[in-house]
């Protein structure tokens, strides 16, 4: 549901409550509060499962040496969806075509990790050497 539609729905609900006398619409009485509107959002079928309490653990693969696109696909296949990449040379270049970049290092290291962590991949262009 769009936010502007939710605002209209909340406003309409408040108006109906006032019109039908369920609560007082007069001012000053602290016991009379605005109605609460709750929206239920369903995650898409391809979204990772939500975990209550402790984060789910997964095995983060070693992606050093992979092209950036393959590294991202590999991490997602292992259950890691919070991914970031950065130019390892310090030049701040954007990774527009992920297949043209190679992973030099990753944080955190491969192994058992909570799947909700952000995985950061430091990368250089295909024809460059990792520092």
């Amino acid at each position: 549901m769009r936010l502007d539609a939710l605002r209209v729905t909340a406003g309409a609900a408040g108006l109906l409550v006032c019109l039908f006398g369920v609560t007082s619409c007069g001012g000053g009485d602290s016991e009379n509060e605005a109605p609460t509107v709750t929206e239920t959002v369903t995650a898409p079928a391809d979204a990772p499962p939500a975990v209550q309490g402790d984060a789910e653990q997964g095995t983060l693969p070693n992606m050093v040496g992979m092209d950036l696109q393959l590294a991202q696909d590999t991490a997602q296949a292992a259950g890691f969806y919070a991914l970031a990449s950065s130019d390892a040379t310090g030049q701040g270049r954007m990774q527009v075509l992920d297949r043209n970049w190679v992973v030099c290092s990753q944080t955190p290291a491969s192994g058992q990790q909570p799947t909700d962590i952000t995985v950061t991949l430091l990368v250089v262009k295909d024809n460059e050497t990792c520092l």
Side-chain angles (χ1 to χ4, degrees):
M1 175 181 285
R2 291 186 2 210
L3 185 56
D4 56 340
L6 180 60
R7 287 185 184 134
V8 169
T9 304
L15 180 61
L16 288 174
V17 169
C18 287
L19 288 175
F20 290 106
V22 174
T23 184
S24 170
C25 295
D29 196 89
S30 64
E31 292 180 354
N32 297 324
E33 296 180 11
T36 301
V37 177
T38 304
E39 178 181 8
T40 302
V41 178
T42 304
D46 61 346
V51 179
Q52 296 278 338
D54 292 331
E56 183 177 325
Q57 294 285 311
T59 302
L60 182 64
N62 180 2
M63 296 168 285
V64 174
M66 294 182 183
D67 77 53
L68 180 56
Q69 184 63 61
L70 177 60
Q72 292 168 338
D73 294 343
T74 301
Q76 290 175 352
F80 296 85
Y81 293 92
L83 305 173
S85 63
S86 182
D87 184 354
T89 67
Q91 296 177 51
R93 299 174 294 180
M94 302 285 293
Q95 293 78 56
V96 177
L97 298 173
D98 295 342
R99 295 190 192 286
N100 294 342
W101 294 81
V102 176
V103 177
C104 292
S105 65
Q106 69 184 59
T107 304
S110 60
Q112 281 297 113
Q113 302 289 347
T115 57
D116 63 352
I117 60 167
T118 298
V119 178
T120 302
L121 305 171
L122 294 181
V123 297
V124 294
K125 295 280 243 168
D126 280 346
N127 60 347
E128 297 173 342
T129 303
C130 292
L131 302 174

